[in-house]
């Protein structure tokens, strides 16, 4: 596991609140929900993601943060930019939000989000018509890291006119 994986896991406000509640000593879902004000379902979802990453361990009533994992991630952290030269803004956005070909989050700023969406839209061939199922399958692969969901990603691609949609068929523009 890497520091980037940790950053992806804590990029969501809900997961970060759940993580903080566990750091502060809450050891079960009910206590975490009470401290964070989140619904139990949101707590369960956040816990699943934090456990999958490995930063939270233990079962109900024995939740804890794996401090050893955090120390290891900090030790293994590498600089985000290579030493061989400057990085342009587009590359920086991609390095921040894409890890191993998987989306770890979506930028809030529209300009940065557009850079990311243009990169993702390149997964579709211009002029080829795709059924919604094929588009969803391609976008699910991008969302395997939990940074977003494929439906949100598809909506952004259509809203930004990078994909067009008509009667359940999609195609790349430009």
């Amino acid at each position: 596991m890497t520091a980037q994986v940790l950053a992806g896991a804590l990029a969501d406000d809900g997961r970060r609140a759940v993580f903080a509640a566990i750091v502060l000593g809450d050891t079960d879902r009910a206590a975490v929900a009470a401290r964070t004000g989140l619904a139990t379902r949101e707590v369960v979802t956040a816990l699943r993601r934090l456990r999958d990453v490995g930063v939270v361990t233990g079962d109900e009533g024995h939740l804890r943060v794996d401090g050893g994992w955090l120390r290891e991630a900090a030790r293994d952290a590498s600089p985000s930019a290579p030493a061989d030269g400057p990085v342009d803004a587009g590359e920086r956005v991609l390095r921040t939000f894409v890890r191993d070909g998987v989306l770890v989050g979506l930028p809030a700023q529209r300009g940065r989000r557009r850079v990311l969406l243009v990169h993702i839209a390149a997964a579709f061939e211009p002029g080829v018509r795709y059924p919604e199922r094929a588009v969803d399958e391609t976008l699910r692969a991008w969302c395997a890291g939990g940074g977003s969901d494929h439906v949100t990603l598809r909506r952004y691609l259509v809203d930004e006119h990078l994909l067009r949609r008509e009667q359940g068929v999609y195609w790349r523009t430009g």
Side-chain angles (χ1 to χ4, degrees), residues 30-173:
V32 170
R35 183 182 297 266
T36 62
L38 296 172
T40 302
R41 181 176 176 222
E42 292 174 287
V43 171
V44 169
T45 302
L47 282 171
R48 184 179 314 119
R49 172 79 164 121
L50 294 170
R51 280 187 184 124
D52 288 348
V53 169
V55 70
V56 169
T57 61
D59 294 325
E60 183 63 19
H62 302 285
L63 296 172
R64 66 179 185 82
V65 171
D66 186 348
W69 186 93
L70 289 171
R71 283 187 291 280
E72 182 180 322
R75 252 193 321 272
D76 293 343
S78 59
S80 61
D84 59 353
V87 177
D88 75 9
E91 284 181 51
R92 190 173 305 119
V93 168
L94 294 178
R95 286 185 180 173
T96 302
F97 293 98
V98 177
R99 296 280 183 268
D100 300 320
V102 176
L103 187 65
V104 296
L106 280 172
Q109 188 178 32
R110 184 175 182 259
R112 290 180 181 172
R113 189 171 53 240
R114 173 108 179 143
V115 168
L116 185 64
L117 293 171
V118 167
H119 179 74
I120 292 170
F124 301 98
E125 293 293 322
V128 176
R129 304 265 174 170
Y130 297 92
E132 187 168 303
R133 187 173 2 111
V135 172
D136 286 349
E137 185 177 310
T138 300
L139 297 179
R140 273 191 193 104
W142 279 100
C143 298
S148 187
D149 66 279
H150 71 282
V151 176
T152 300
L153 197 52
R154 186 181 66 211
R155 186 185 74 237
Y156 276 133
L157 288 165
V158 171
D159 288 350
E160 289 291 332
H161 305 288
L162 297 169
L163 287 181
R164 295 279 187 203
R165 170 182 56 205
E166 185 175 306
Q167 297 179 349
V169 177
Y170 294 76
W171 63 95
R172 186 173 137 198
T173 58

